[in-house]
Amino acid sequence: MLVLVLNSGSSSIKYQVREVPLPGADDHHEAILTEGIVERIGEGEVEDHTAALEQINSELTAALGDRQIDAVGHRVVHGGERFGEPVLITNEITRAIERLNPLAPLHNPPNVLGIRAIADKWPNLPQVAVFDTAFHRTLPERAWRYAIPDDFYRKYGIRRYGFHGTSCEYVTQQAAELLGCPLGEFNAVVAHLGNGASATAIQGGISVDTSMGFTPIEGLVMGTRSGDLDPSILLFLEREGFSADELDEMLNKKSGLKALFGQNDMRSIVEAVDDDERARLALEISSYRLAKYIGGYHVAVGGARAIVFTAGIGENSPQFRQAVVERLAPLGVKLDDGANLGPADGARIISTGNSAIQVLVVPTDEERAIAEATAAVVASRPIPSR
Ligand code: ADP
């Protein structure tokens, strides 16, 4: 089955065409047929999401010849409390995603534009929404509820939602498979460390806690986001005259590694660490924060069997992994330095044979996860009545 995977942002659409096996098929052939990005939507050349889709369509025609797309899988950031699984998109589902706009004002609106643009152009093409929050719908209330008055939850939906779910679920399955552990018995901590970063506690293969909260700001130190801080800091700054938009910009775009080192790129931090005090501190603060979360989540899952590193930093930075794992010595975690520094060749174990918790690197592949989820939903949908 050919699935067009779309990640629609406010000014760009990333796309990838994946060939995925039909669920249950004997043939497990899997491939990326083409991929690309249309940028600067709304800035002249590409008028809107419909125009961007026209451009993608001509690129697809050039790349695929007469092979046809069978379905579209959308990365949708926020599924709120309703969506715990990928779903086949109908008009009602699109409206439900739209109603979640206030919870993800930068992300859900362009996701909806992408869905509508496809529906207008190819009304018969099945579309599936795969939500970044869905995997965390299994969080117990002790993990998702903030200790603030109930009204704020009921009236405004203020609770922990968590993000990076698609990546987390995929990486969890791959890690359990690598260790030969049945998914239902797999306890782990997954660290998804890209520009955005989160830690997730996995118990019995499902998410039971996660560091991102009501928004993706909470938790770890990220490329340009602060992660955890005392909420009173914002109240203090508001009284000092900062507007909500200024604070939003500060927390989302000017904080994290960028604030600590001046750049949000972990590579430059690692390169500068020996002779630049700010680089050393940025590495120390970010790795310390993650180590604290791993310790906490080890408790949350009743004993983790694995710590899984994934995404840009997790997959590619042995120095960052080492800085984190060194702090886990009290838990009996031991890194195999050779394996940690070794070539990045797929999912692998980087701890010693006698480490109390195994440490893994597992490359994530959100597009593949979205394509497979899309194929599964489309294959199981009821035959439309005539
Ligand atoms: P996104 O969240 O945008 O998908 P990625 O998963 O691509 O991000 O991760 C981006 C991060 O990965 C950046 O901080 C980048 O510096 C880091 N990164 C990528 N390659 C390396 C590397 N070889 N060493 C250290 N950090 C790396």
Side-chain angles (χ1 to χ4, degrees):
M1 177 183 279
L2 287 199
V3 180
L4 170 63
V5 178
L6 286 186
N7 184 352
S8 309
S10 55
S11 67
S12 71
I13 301 183
K14 276 192 224 158
Y15 68 90
Q16 197 176 76
V17 177
R18 305 285 297 220
E19 173 145 37
V20 286
L22 277 171
D26 292 333
D27 178 9
H28 290 107
H29 182 67
E30 224 264 334
I32 301 173
L33 298 190
T34 182
E35 60 190 329
I37 180 166
V38 178
E39 292 176 290
R40 289 192 287 280
I41 299 173
E43 294 172 26
E45 266 170 60
V46 192
E47 197 182 331
D48 55 15
H49 284 69
T50 306
L53 202 65
E54 288 298 341
Q55 189 172 325
I56 291 173
N57 186 34
S58 41
E59 288 171 21
L60 293 187
T61 311
L64 302 178
D66 47 14
R67 294 192 70 182
Q68 298 288 320
I69 299 289
D70 298 301
V72 182
H74 293 268
R75 172 173 195 247
V76 178
V77 167
H78 219 303
E81 292 202 306
R82 171 164 169 185
F83 297 108
E85 300 280 339
V87 288
L88 190 68
I89 295 174
T90 60
N91 288 336
E92 191 274 324
I93 296 281
T94 310
R95 287 194 295 274
I97 296 171
E98 202 167 29
R99 281 196 295 278
L100 295 166
N101 283 357
L103 293 178
L106 297 180
H107 294 108
N108 274 33
N111 295 157
V112 169
L113 289 176
I115 291 169
R116 292 226 163 99
I118 296 268
D120 286 345
K121 190 161 171 57
W122 296 291
N124 296 322
L125 195 58
Q127 301 195 68
V128 173
V130 182
F131 301 93
D132 232 23
T133 49
F135 184 58
H136 303 300
R137 283 293 290 120
T138 49
L139 255 55
E141 190 163 353
R142 63 175 178 272
W144 65 251
R145 194 176 271 277
Y146 293 115
I148 60 174
D150 204 34
D151 273 0
F152 292 99
Y153 164 58
R154 278 189 279 114
K155 195 158 169 211
Y156 301 105
I158 296 197
R159 52 160 287 174
R160 178 182 310 285
Y161 291 99
F163 300 87
H164 287 153
T166 306
S167 167
C168 236
E169 181 171 18
Y170 175 80
V171 163
T172 299
Q173 287 163 355
Q174 301 285 316
E177 203 168 295
L178 180 69
L179 296 178
C181 177
L183 192 60
E185 294 167 20
F186 188 54
N187 292 357
V189 182
V190 174
H192 176 112
L193 312 171
N195 275 310
S198 65
T200 295
I202 303 288
Q203 187 172 36
I206 64 174
S207 172
V208 295
D209 206 348
T210 191
S211 60
M212 284 179 167
F214 177 64
T215 72
I217 288 184
E218 197 178 344
L220 306 180
V221 176
M222 314 183 201
T224 61
R225 294 192 198 116
S226 63
D228 295 333
L229 44 76
D230 179 346
S232 303
I233 294 168
L234 302 179
L235 308 180
F236 173 86
L237 291 174
E238 199 195 335
R239 293 188 189 111
E240 288 290 311
F242 288 88
S243 69
D245 285 344
E246 283 168 333
L247 295 175
D248 190 326
E249 164 111 359
M250 185 270 278
L251 290 177
N252 271 306
K253 306 234 168 89
K254 296 184 178 164
S255 296
L257 299 176
K258 186 160 190 196
L260 296 171
F261 176 63
Q263 291 178 44
N264 63 351
D265 187 341
M266 181 57 81
R267 255 168 307 205
S268 343
I269 293 177
V270 164
E271 279 162 20
V273 83
D274 288 333
D275 32 42
D276 183 324
E277 173 56 18
R278 290 178 78 198
R280 194 197 60 73
L281 198 60
L283 182 65
E284 185 169 333
I285 294 174
S286 52
S287 57
Y288 168 72
R289 179 86 55 90
L290 175 56
K292 280 204 297 187
Y293 267 95
I294 294 174
Y297 286 172
H298 180 55
V299 172
V301 304
R305 163 172 187 161
I307 297 160
V308 188
F309 286 94
T310 193
I313 299 171
E315 292 168 31
N316 300 303
S317 185
Q319 295 88 344
F320 187 80
R321 294 193 298 255
Q322 185 186 350
V324 174
V325 175
E326 268 172 7
R327 291 191 181 276
L328 303 175
L331 300 178
V333 188
K334 295 187 192 123
L335 206 58
D336 177 332
D337 292 328
N340 183 41
L341 292 165
D345 56 355
R348 61 199 193 276
I349 299 171
I350 58 165
S351 48
T352 60
N354 63 352
S355 176
I357 305 174
Q358 283 176 297
V359 183
L360 274 57
V361 175
V362 177
T364 190
D365 190 342
E366 284 176 288
E367 285 78 16
R368 177 176 171 182
I370 292 171
E372 288 177 352
T374 300
V377 169
V378 169
S380 67
R381 89 196 138 133
I383 307 296
S385 55
R386 285 168 193 272

